[in-house]
Amino acid sequence: MKNVSILPIRRNLKFNLNPERALDWHQDGLNVAQFLNTMSLFFPVGERFFIDSVRHYRSEITDEELKKAVTAFIGQEAMHGREHDEYNQYVADAGVPIAAQEEVVTKLLNFVQRVAPERFQLAATVALEHLTAILGGGLLDLPEIMDGSEEGYKAIWNWHALEETEHKAVAFDVYQVAVGKDSEILPYIERSAALVLATGIFFSLFLPFYAYNVAIHGGLTDWKGWKAVWKHTWQKKGIFRNITKPWFDWFKPGFHPWDHDNREKLEMFAEILGERLDEAA
Ligand SMILES: [Fe+2]
Ligand SMILES: [Fe+2]
């Protein structure tokens, strides 16, 4: 376990999203907004899966700090699920078939819970937590992606990115205790395979959903919109380009999420979320 002890905090925040802006809240229009909206539909069900996977091993944790971190992790993911459920409802109300797409994800995760061993479910969780941590970290590194967008939507994404950063090592530390460290080889092979598998499965669902969600509102031939998507994903200041190396770092034996030490981003909480933090219960 790396010697970076950050105890996540469960923050009960509300974002008062403007339902009217569900499809055009991003400064660069529909194609970028639907990219993030489509990503959002995976969170509530995905995060419930993460919670279940980690909770299963809770009783095996003896370290008091890690126990507290697990409780906070569960609290944070539950809050993300609640807020993204509301967000997704606004996107659904705007005519996007979120419920049907979410159903596909739910069925897949239920299937995994039914047939896969618990340790595989935890491996999938730590792999997906790596993906959310580097995506969140990427978003915090590239604030220009959100510049000029509608405040509520911008805030929910920044909040989620910050908390994914804050708790990025929790499931991983549980994995090291419950399943094993890289030195035991098999846990290393499993977590490595899990990232390849999880990334592949995630994008094989995300991409068709995303293309469909853009198409139904006429964005398929919006070249300006696609140019903006390209700019924010693969160009110099694009998120995928910036997280490619951190994605591969996962495969270094002995890797730990805090090897990407971006603790300083957590100091931006107050700056980014301002008065919303004061309203937190
Ligand atoms: Fe989350
Ligand atoms: Fe997470």
Side-chain angles (χ1 to χ4, degrees):
M1 210 178 299
K2 272 277 173 319
N3 195 18
V4 175
S5 65
I6 286 174
L7 185 62
I9 303 164
R10 173 187 172 278
R11 301 173 184 83
N12 182 8
L13 304 188
K14 296 296 296 171
F15 290 90
N16 305 318
L17 301 177
N18 179 353
E20 310 282 309
R21 301 291 308 276
L23 299 186
D24 72 342
W25 60 267
H26 194 274
Q27 54 154 351
D28 289 327
L30 176 82
N31 293 23
V32 180
Q34 287 294 56
F35 185 94
L36 286 149
N37 293 349
T38 304
M39 209 158 255
S40 174
L41 80 88
F42 286 84
F43 289 131
V45 275
E47 288 169 329
R48 275 194 286 278
F49 176 88
F50 300 167
I51 290 172
D52 290 345
S53 310
V54 171
R55 191 181 269 147
H56 178 80
Y57 287 101
R58 199 185 208 167
S59 58
E60 293 183 27
I61 308 296
T62 50
D63 182 278
E64 287 304 320
E65 283 303 297
L66 186 52
K67 265 192 203 170
K68 280 188 219 156
V70 165
T71 303
F73 166 83
I74 291 172
Q76 285 193 338
E77 295 294 29
M79 289 293 118
H80 300 166
R82 184 192 74 186
E83 289 309 296
H84 277 273
D85 260 335
E86 187 180 302
Y87 177 154
N88 297 345
Q89 188 55 53
Y90 296 149
V91 179
D93 292 344
V96 182
I98 296 289
Q101 295 172 352
E102 200 180 45
E103 181 69 18
V104 176
V105 185
T106 306
K107 280 196 173 135
L108 171 72
L109 294 177
N110 287 347
F111 174 74
V112 173
Q113 284 188 323
R114 249 194 346 267
V115 304
E118 302 283 358
R119 65 184 276 159
F120 175 80
Q121 295 177 38
L122 189 63
T125 297
V126 296
L128 286 161
E129 279 286 289
H130 180 61
L131 208 53
T132 54
I134 60 177
L135 282 166
L139 196 62
L140 298 171
D141 283 339
L142 302 163
E144 46 276 88
I145 290 177
M146 291 292 182
D147 269 354
S149 299
E150 210 275 332
E151 284 304 321
Y153 290 89
K154 186 172 155 180
I156 193 173
W157 282 107
N158 280 326
W159 165 67
H160 201 162
L162 282 162
E163 292 196 347
E164 287 305 320
T165 300
E166 197 175 42
H167 75 223
K168 66 178 173 177
V170 178
F172 191 92
D173 289 343
V174 170
Y175 183 81
Q176 291 204 320
V177 173
V179 177
K181 297 190 174 166
D182 288 356
S183 51
E184 294 164 50
I185 317 258
L186 197 57
Y188 167 76
I189 293 172
E190 286 176 348
R191 72 168 181 84
S192 298
L195 184 65
V196 175
L197 212 61
T199 306
I201 292 173
F202 172 72
F203 282 103
S204 67
L205 291 173
F206 172 82
L207 291 172
F209 289 169
Y210 172 47
Y212 187 83
N213 296 345
V214 168
I216 50 170
H217 288 94
L220 222 43
T221 52
D222 172 7
W223 302 117
K224 214 172 133 219
W226 289 124
K227 216 175 138 194
V229 172
W230 182 251
K231 180 176 95 178
H232 293 308
T233 50
W234 287 108
Q235 277 190 341
K236 198 154 181 270
K237 294 255 177 187
I239 193 153
F240 289 158
R241 183 161 170 167
N242 278 269
I243 67 167
T244 301
K245 186 189 169 296
W247 188 87
F248 277 107
D249 286 343
W250 180 256
F251 303 102
K252 286 183 191 158
F255 172 82
H256 185 275
W258 282 113
D259 288 352
H260 299 145
D261 192 351
N262 57 352
R263 261 177 292 186
E264 81 284 354
K265 291 287 187 294
L266 301 175
E267 287 158 22
M268 291 159 60
F269 247 111
E271 190 190 317
I272 290 176
L273 294 166
E275 59 204 29
R276 282 170 212 275
L277 276 184
D278 303 331
E279 292 162 11

